[in-house]
Amino acid sequence: MMNTTSANLKLSGLIFSRLMSGKVINQYEFSASGERIEDALFTEIFSNLDIYVQQYAMSNLELIAGDSFYYVRDADRNSKYSEATKKIQVLLLLIGRHITFSGSVFEKMTNPKGGITEEDLLAIPANEEFNEILERSEIFDIVKGVKLNLIDRGVMQQLGNGCYVLTPAGASFFDGLFT
C-alpha cells in the first residue's frame, strides 16, 4: 500500500482535478495587483513528489516536473506533442514574434507590470503570415484561442488590469521553443 501519511488528501483531490482537466500547476500565480502568490498545490506536490509520481504512474500517466510547475501526460503517447500542446506552441510562438516585431522585449510577456494587451493579441491575425498559421492550427479567434489554450490551462494569466502574462510554465514552454 502506498504511504500517504505525509500527503494532504484534500489537496491531493484538488491536484487531481486540476491535472485531469489539462491544467498546469504553477509554483505561483499573480494577484490582481501583480504580486506573486504561492500555490499550495505546487508545494504539496513538491513536498511529496515520490508519492505523486507513483500515484499518476499507476494510472499510466507521467507527472512532468518543470522548474516551477507540474503537469501530467499520457505515458504511452508516441509523441510528446498533443494537439493541445501544438496549439500552445503556435500561440506562444506567434505572440513572441509579434512582441519582437513590435519592438518590445520578452519581459513584456512575463512582468506583471507589463503584459500583453488585447490590442497586441488582435494585431497578430492582421499579419497575413500569422493569420495563415492560426487558421491552419484551427485557431480562428485569437482572444478565444489564448483563453482556451493558454489561460484555462495555466500557461498564461490575465491580470486585474486586463493584460496577459506568462506563468512559470508559460515562460518555460516559451524558452523551450527557442532552445
Side-chain angles (χ1 to χ4, degrees):
M1 184 168 167
M2 184 168 45
N3 177 11
T4 59
T5 56
S6 61
N8 180 317
L9 296 180
K10 181 178 180 185
L11 292 179
S12 179
L14 295 171
I15 290 166
F16 179 82
S17 178
R18 191 178 300 178
L19 293 175
M20 291 301 100
S21 63
K23 297 179 181 177
V24 173
I25 295 177
N26 288 289
Q27 182 177 6
Y28 61 86
E29 59 183 35
F30 294 106
S31 69
S33 63
E35 300 298 317
R36 285 184 181 187
I37 301 171
E38 294 293 318
D39 189 329
L41 302 183
F42 177 91
T43 304
E44 170 65 14
I45 296 171
F46 183 82
S47 299
N48 301 289
L49 186 59
D50 292 341
I51 293 170
Y52 286 99
V53 167
Q54 181 180 3
Q55 174 184 345
Y56 291 100
M58 290 171 26
S59 298
N60 202 34
L61 296 169
E62 184 178 7
L63 180 64
I64 306 296
D67 290 334
S68 50
F69 62 94
Y70 296 101
Y71 68 96
V72 294
R73 68 176 174 207
D74 184 350
D76 287 338
R77 182 181 306 263
N78 290 336
S79 169
K80 65 180 182 176
Y81 302 113
S82 66
E83 286 303 311
T85 302
K86 290 174 187 174
K87 285 185 179 189
I88 289 168
Q89 290 175 330
V90 164
L91 287 165
L92 290 177
L93 182 64
L94 292 179
I95 291 169
R97 288 186 68 191
H98 171 72
I99 294 304
T100 302
F101 290 167
S102 70
S104 295
V105 294
F106 173 73
E107 284 71 30
K108 178 175 177 145
M109 297 173 58
T110 58
N111 188 330
K113 301 209 183 318
I116 309 300
T117 65
E118 191 166 310
E119 286 177 346
D120 289 323
L121 293 179
L122 294 172
I124 293 171
N127 177 305
E128 190 176 315
E129 177 187 353
F130 292 177
N131 191 51
E132 183 177 338
I133 293 168
L134 287 168
E135 287 178 0
R136 288 179 186 244
S137 300
E138 298 181 359
I139 302 170
F140 302 108
D141 178 330
I142 185 88
V143 175
K144 185 177 180 181
V146 165
K147 179 174 180 354
L148 293 174
N149 296 288
L150 301 180
I151 294 171
D152 289 353
R153 293 186 179 277
V155 175
M156 187 171 259
Q157 181 181 345
Q158 187 170 21
L159 302 175
N161 65 4
C163 289
Y164 305 91
V165 293
L166 295 175
T167 63
S172 179
F173 293 155
F174 186 86
D175 287 344
L177 289 172
F178 296 101
T179 56

